[in-house]
Amino acid sequence: MNKQWYRGLILVLLACCAIICVSPVFAENTRTITDMVGRSVTIPTEIHSILGTAPPTSEAVYMIKPDDLIGINFDLKNSSYVPEKYKSLPNVGGQQMGSKLNYETFQSMKPDIVLYGFDPAMGGNQADIEDVQTRLNPIPVVACADSTNATNYGPEIKFLGTLLGAEDRANSLNSFYDNLYKKVTTTVASIPDDQKKKVYYAEGPDGLKTDPASSPHGQLIAVCGGNNVAEVSQGSSGGMSPVSMEQVVSWNPDVIVAGDKKFYKSVMTDPNWKDIKAVKDKQVYLIPNQPFGWIDRPPGANRIIGIPWLAKVIYPEKFTDIDLNSLIKEYYTKYLNYDITDTEVNTIITYSGLTA
């Protein structure tokens, strides 16, 4: 009996010693933060490896602290304007376009944190975040809000800058965004609703998929003062609501922005589209999408450069003072980590249908 008592006492003392010795070390190497939906999350003091659950948040990290990314949600190896070291980032998949997260892949890569892009407008809720956290334990999951809201990218950018110790770059990106957003929205605010140009966002190879003004995917049209003509229901998280040719004819847009190269190349000679005002007036433009979409796909902070581009597409006469060439060069060099040349800038602009 005495032996058992002594053995128990020794085990208790050893456990106490372990707690006393280990706890301070654990505390020194971790910190507790409040994420963007109010959750308390314990994370490493220093973060060196990150995975995001979907493209908008992963691309925000790429723009703020790219070397911390150990994977991305799509394949970059064939993308243009991407440094070689980032082209080799593994494609870990994600929750975009209705896909499910590959938890085994995320766990096997052992990132310091996982970033979860949270946006109620895209159907997200806090229960989803907690479910991902449960499945990925003990990897901490940190929620980032408004990752797809083009009217409010600032808080997410600032949060990530603080979280990742990259405040200077985040502040610089926010200034770039704020200046463009205010310039464009202030200019178009004086346009009466009945004088706003009608814009159709054509998606798919036949141009007969789109996203309405209520969808984050079609949001930039309104930001830039256009009237999104698509009177359709908002699609799933991936968007792309189907429409008929008759609907597009009845909407008769002044401007068409195309998300698909095949459609853009064929629309001007397609007899089904010949009577639409945008086609007759040669006001059809191809949205730049390298390495990330400028208007959509995904609808994340990557769209910041799309704000001045789309403003010049819809209202060229109101934005003659925007130097798109200089803005593209600054954006790619500072925030997309690519030293773009003047020739490459001109190629992007002219390929989209604008004059460089």
Side-chain angles (χ1 to χ4, degrees), residues 22 85 108-109 115 180 190 206 266 277 279 289 310-311 320:
V22 173
K85 67 176 180 176
S108 69
M109 296 181 72
L115 294 174
L180 290 176
S190 61
D206 60 0
S266 65
K277 188 175 187 301
V279 175
N289 65 355
L310 187 57
T320 56

Side-chain angles (χ1 to χ4, degrees), residues 8 31 63 96 110 143 154 175 180 209 239 284 299 301 324:
R31 53 185 165 131
M63 298 168 74
Q96 64 271 27
K110 299 179 179 178
S175 293
L180 290 176
K209 289 184 173 61
V284 182
L324 193 56

Side-chain angles (χ1 to χ4, degrees), residues 49-80:
S49 59
I50 297 170
L51 289 175
T53 61
T57 303
S58 296
E59 289 176 13
V61 175
Y62 183 85
M63 298 168 74
I64 295 168
K65 201 175 181 189
D67 289 343
D68 282 359
L69 281 174
I70 59 172
I72 201 159
N73 312 105
F74 47 86
D75 202 339
L76 275 178
K77 66 182 179 181
N78 294 320
S79 297
S80 302

Side-chain angles (χ1 to χ4, degrees), residues 10-153:
I10 290 169
L11 289 173
V12 169
L13 289 172
L14 286 173
C16 291
C17 287
I19 292 171
I20 292 170
C21 294
V22 173
S23 292
V25 174
F26 180 76
E28 288 175 3
N29 288 283
T30 64
R31 53 185 165 131
T32 299
I33 64 159
T34 301
D35 70 11
M36 293 190 75
V37 295
R39 298 164 60 249
S40 292
V41 186
T42 300
I43 64 172
T45 302
E46 294 186 5
I47 297 170
H48 301 293
S49 59
I50 297 170
L51 289 175
T53 61
T57 303
S58 296
E59 289 176 13
V61 175
Y62 183 85
M63 298 168 74
I64 295 168
K65 201 175 181 189
D67 289 343
D68 282 359
L69 281 174
I70 59 172
I72 201 159
N73 312 105
F74 47 86
D75 202 339
L76 275 178
K77 66 182 179 181
N78 294 320
S79 297
S80 302
Y81 316 121
V82 177
E84 288 300 321
K85 67 176 180 176
Y86 301 124
K87 285 188 175 184
S88 62
L89 283 171
N91 178 0
V92 298
Q95 294 178 311
Q96 64 271 27
M97 302 293 286
S99 299
K100 295 186 180 298
L101 204 63
N102 189 324
Y103 294 101
E104 292 78 12
T105 297
F106 275 57
Q107 288 169 331
S108 69
M109 296 181 72
K110 299 179 179 178
D112 290 333
I113 61 171
V114 168
L115 294 174
Y116 185 105
F118 176 83
D119 189 345
M122 296 287 282
N125 60 66
Q126 193 155 334
D128 296 332
I129 302 170
E130 297 298 348
D131 179 62
V132 172
Q133 178 64 85
T134 299
R135 292 170 181 266
L136 289 179
N137 270 335
I139 302 167
V141 176
V142 178
C144 299
D146 284 327
S147 59
T148 61
N149 184 357
T151 70
N152 197 36
Y153 285 140

Side-chain angles (χ1 to χ4, degrees), residues 68-339:
D68 282 359
L69 281 174
I70 59 172
I72 201 159
N73 312 105
F74 47 86
D75 202 339
L76 275 178
K77 66 182 179 181
N78 294 320
S79 297
S80 302
Y81 316 121
V82 177
E84 288 300 321
K85 67 176 180 176
Y86 301 124
K87 285 188 175 184
S88 62
L89 283 171
N91 178 0
V92 298
Q95 294 178 311
Q96 64 271 27
M97 302 293 286
S99 299
K100 295 186 180 298
L101 204 63
N102 189 324
Y103 294 101
E104 292 78 12
T105 297
F106 275 57
Q107 288 169 331
S108 69
M109 296 181 72
K110 299 179 179 178
D112 290 333
I113 61 171
V114 168
L115 294 174
Y116 185 105
F118 176 83
D119 189 345
M122 296 287 282
N125 60 66
Q126 193 155 334
D128 296 332
I129 302 170
E130 297 298 348
D131 179 62
V132 172
Q133 178 64 85
T134 299
R135 292 170 181 266
L136 289 179
N137 270 335
I139 302 167
V141 176
V142 178
C144 299
D146 284 327
S147 59
T148 61
N149 184 357
T151 70
N152 197 36
Y153 285 140
E156 182 204 31
I157 293 169
K158 182 178 181 180
F159 175 79
L160 287 174
T162 302
L163 178 71
L164 306 180
E167 291 92 344
D168 289 346
R169 180 143 163 172
N171 290 339
S172 174
L173 177 58
N174 255 340
S175 293
F176 185 83
Y177 163 61
D178 285 342
N179 290 337
L180 290 176
Y181 184 82
K182 289 174 182 175
K183 162 70 177 173
V184 170
T185 55
T186 300
T187 301
V188 302
S190 61
I191 304 174
D193 286 346
D194 61 355
Q195 294 179 26
K196 289 181 177 179
K197 289 188 180 178
K198 297 185 295 181
V199 182
Y200 175 66
Y201 175 22
E203 299 181 84
D206 60 0
L208 294 178
K209 289 184 173 61
T210 192
D211 284 289
S214 60
S215 167
H217 296 284
Q219 188 181 33
L220 245 57
I221 293 173
V223 168
C224 296
N227 173 16
N228 187 333
V229 297
E231 296 176 356
V232 294
S233 300
Q234 182 175 327
S236 64
S237 61
M240 299 184 77
S241 301
V243 299
S244 67
M245 193 70 239
E246 290 74 21
Q247 284 176 296
V248 180
V249 170
S250 70
W251 296 330
N252 197 27
D254 302 303
V255 177
I256 294 174
V257 288
D260 189 282
K261 181 170 60 175
K262 181 178 179 181
F263 169 74
Y264 176 72
K265 288 186 173 182
S266 65
V267 64
M268 300 304 291
T269 57
D270 188 328
N272 293 318
W273 293 78
K274 66 181 178 62
D275 292 326
I276 292 173
K277 188 175 187 301
V279 175
K280 291 192 290 186
D281 294 345
K282 296 183 172 55
Q283 294 297 299
V284 182
Y285 300 88
L286 179 63
I287 302 167
N289 65 355
Q290 292 295 318
F292 314 125
W294 282 22
I295 302 300
D296 191 18
R297 309 296 163 200
N302 47 285
R303 300 191 293 178
I304 291 172
I305 193 60
I307 295 172
W309 177 82
L310 187 57
K312 288 181 79 72
V313 162
I314 302 175
Y315 299 110
E317 72 286 352
K318 293 185 181 296
F319 294 102
T320 56
D321 57 338
I322 285 184
D323 185 348
L324 193 56
N325 294 61
S326 295
L327 289 172
I328 293 171
K329 195 156 192 178
E330 179 181 1
Y331 175 78
Y332 274 72
T333 302
K334 286 185 177 180
Y335 311 118
L336 292 189
N337 318 299
Y338 182 79
D339 191 13

